[in-house]
Amino acid sequence: MKVMLCTYFLHPPVSVSISSSSSFPSSSRSSLKLSVCCSAMEDESGRSSKFKEYPFVSVPHKSLMLDLVSTLENRLQSQLLPSTLPPYVQHCQNTTSTNQASLHFRAGHPDSSIDFIWGAWVHSELPTGGALDITSLFGYLNSSNDAPNFVFDMIRHSPTVLVFILDLSPRKDLVLWPDDLKTFYEDTQLDKHRQALATLPEVQPYISPSLYMRTLSSPTTIMVRIQTENDGGERMEEIIKNHLDPISKQVLGIWLDHCAFAKREVGDAERGYLKKRDGLIRNKSFEIDLESSLLLWFGPEVANPVLEVIKEYFTV
């Protein structure tokens, strides 16, 4: 089964340029059909809680995700608009309920350097038994800030196999802008987190099958495959709690302090470069990743209405 949707649910690191408008186009909404496969939630609290339930993952995994999401939203609270995704985009499932997904999106205020934050969880029961569970969280900046984006993915193939991706993905060529390499990666000592995780015997490098996706990662990216003994997943839960949890929170803290809240002077030429680069990545990722993955998991009846809405903003 293809897992590109989650490995890089819009990346790593797609910077999706979402309109700062607080509503989706009426033309998109009017053409959508609500099916029994899609969850209908009545109010804002009900809608957002579905994403924050993480119903299919373990306690340490859920605890980590809730802490990351709450930290991100609390720190950026004054810079974010309320979530406006329609219910059928926020949560959907196939006709047999074997595949489910919950999507979460909040755009940044027009005067903020935050483009948007994006999160998702996906649960897919595999034909061979077991299930695939993916949880993702991304923070993207707009062209008023040239700092890296935040990328987080956990892809659980079984109780004993997990792919973990954590990165501050650069939006500029670090050869042409060596000061960015020093500011965001050397001075913050980002590589020590990758080095610490690599000391665990269960941890091995993970190489994305997509050459395109590999070009988008930073030199300090954490992209690993973790496989533990066939013990029902007890050792994996220890690794999540004692290693992935603190490392993820530290890297998110670095992104917030040194990227999201950084006062960056971005000239007109650099803004043009960022808009062009971010736009190319958005279009490519929607084409080869998001569209094909949603169709694979949920079929056209459920996926096409969701894609019709988000395509308005994920492509330029």
Side-chain angles (χ1 to χ4, degrees):
M1 172 174 285
K2 181 180 179 182
V3 296
M4 286 290 291
L5 169 73
C6 304
T7 335
Y8 291 104
F9 204 123
L10 292 180
H11 162 334
V14 172
S15 179
V16 178
S17 177
I18 304 297
S19 165
S20 59
S21 170
S22 60
S23 62
F24 286 83
S26 58
S27 60
S28 294
R29 292 197 303 268
S30 62
S31 64
L32 301 178
K33 296 180 179 180
L34 293 181
S35 76
V36 295
C37 304
C38 297
S39 171
M41 291 160 276
E42 297 178 354
D43 55 26
E44 176 62 29
S45 61
R47 291 196 297 266
S48 63
S49 66
K50 193 69 178 178
F51 167 68
K52 296 176 182 178
E53 285 178 4
Y54 296 103
F56 298 101
V57 300
S58 65
V59 173
H61 190 157
K62 177 178 180 177
S63 176
L64 169 56
M65 295 308 303
L66 290 176
D67 286 347
L68 292 177
V69 173
S70 63
T71 298
L72 195 60
E73 293 195 319
N74 290 340
R75 289 285 304 274
L76 299 178
Q77 184 174 15
S78 63
Q79 302 187 51
L80 297 174
L81 296 171
S83 175
T84 58
L85 286 181
Y88 42 85
V89 179
Q90 292 178 38
H91 181 259
C92 61
Q93 59 191 40
N94 62 2
T95 54
T96 58
S97 300
T98 54
N99 293 346
Q100 298 186 39
S102 182
L103 313 181
H104 181 62
F105 166 83
R106 292 184 65 181
H109 281 287
D111 58 351
S112 167
S113 66
I114 303 299
D115 192 353
F116 69 98
I117 63 171
W118 169 268
W121 60 254
V122 177
H123 173 79
S124 176
E125 296 181 16
L126 304 176
T128 56
L132 178 71
D133 286 291
I134 309 160
T135 55
S136 306
L137 185 64
F138 305 96
Y140 297 105
L141 303 174
N142 59 36
S143 61
S144 69
N145 187 332
D146 61 356
N149 293 321
F150 176 77
V151 174
F152 172 97
D153 265 314
M154 286 180 65
I155 303 102
R156 192 82 176 259
H157 295 271
S158 75
T160 58
V161 179
L162 182 149
V163 171
F164 178 63
I165 299 168
L166 182 65
D167 198 15
L168 299 191
S169 55
R171 296 164 63 224
K172 296 164 63 177
D173 188 327
L174 298 177
V175 175
L176 297 178
W177 283 275
D179 288 346
D180 286 9
L181 180 65
K182 183 176 188 302
T183 298
F184 300 121
Y185 302 101
E186 292 180 359
D187 291 350
T188 57
Q189 301 182 49
L190 266 181
D191 206 40
K192 71 178 183 181
H193 304 294
R194 182 194 60 81
Q195 294 172 1
L197 200 57
T199 63
L200 299 180
E202 297 91 349
V203 173
Q204 299 295 326
Y206 172 76
I207 300 176
S208 170
S210 169
L211 293 176
Y212 177 76
M213 293 302 180
R214 292 187 219 170
T215 68
L216 304 177
S217 301
S218 81
T220 63
T221 185
I222 296 174
M223 195 176 299
V224 297
R225 183 178 188 271
I226 305 172
Q227 183 166 4
T228 60
E229 297 293 336
N230 190 19
D231 59 357
E234 292 183 9
R235 173 56 180 161
M236 185 68 76
E237 304 311 328
E238 292 178 2
I239 292 174
I240 294 174
K241 180 179 180 180
N242 298 329
H243 300 279
L244 305 190
D245 184 295
I247 287 175
S248 300
K249 291 174 181 176
Q250 290 174 50
V251 173
L252 177 58
I254 290 172
W255 182 77
L256 288 166
D257 293 339
H258 296 273
C259 300
F261 288 102
K263 301 299 181 181
R264 305 282 295 176
E265 294 184 7
V266 184
D268 291 340
E270 290 184 42
R271 287 186 183 226
Y273 167 87
L274 291 170
K275 287 181 179 179
K276 180 179 180 180
R277 185 180 188 276
D278 290 346
L280 289 170
I281 295 173
R282 289 198 303 270
N283 292 343
K284 189 70 171 178
S285 296
F286 185 90
E287 174 189 341
I288 68 173
D289 182 2
L290 185 58
E291 185 174 27
S292 58
S293 296
L294 285 176
L295 287 169
L296 174 67
W297 271 317
F298 302 109
E301 183 178 357
V302 174
N304 283 337
V306 175
L307 290 166
E308 184 177 349
V309 173
I310 61 179
K311 185 176 182 179
E312 298 284 336
Y313 307 101
F314 287 172
T315 60
V316 292

